[in-house]
Amino acid sequence: MKSRTKVALSTIAFATVISLQSYILYQQNQANKTVQVKVNKLQNQIDQTSKANQELLSKIERLESNLELKPRSLLSMN
């Protein structure tokens, strides 16, 4: 094979490898963006659930407190 042909084929091969690597990086970037959107949605759901749980816990604590007070108020009526 002539030297020029080897250089031309090497250049084509190099350009092909670089193009494939760029395409793979692009695809990985797109996949990462998709995953990040899903992670953000899940984090929002976790935050909302945590807030709802905290509100429910506060209500339960208030109910327990009210239940503890009722017997005393009933006794004081006597």
Side-chain angles (χ1 to χ4, degrees):
M1 224 185 264
K2 291 186 179 180
S3 179
R4 288 183 185 177
T5 305
K6 287 182 182 179
V7 169
L9 291 176
S10 295
T11 303
I12 292 169
F14 180 76
T16 302
V17 168
I18 296 301
S19 296
L20 288 172
Q21 288 177 335
S22 296
Y23 178 73
I24 289 168
L25 286 174
Y26 172 79
Q27 291 296 330
Q28 288 176 333
N29 189 38
Q30 294 301 97
N32 286 344
K33 286 179 181 178
T34 300
V35 169
Q36 187 62 51
V37 167
K38 291 179 181 179
V39 166
N40 289 343
K41 286 181 182 178
L42 289 171
Q43 185 62 52
N44 286 340
Q45 288 178 348
I46 289 169
D47 293 344
Q48 289 172 357
T49 302
S50 178
K51 183 179 176 185
N53 285 345
Q54 191 60 42
E55 290 171 359
L56 288 173
L57 181 60
S58 294
K59 288 179 182 180
I60 289 170
E61 288 171 345
R62 273 186 264 127
L63 287 171
E64 287 175 338
S65 176
N66 287 341
L67 287 174
E68 290 172 0
L69 294 175
K70 280 190 179 182
R72 292 183 190 149
S73 64
L74 288 175
L75 287 174
S76 66
M77 293 172 74
N78 288 340

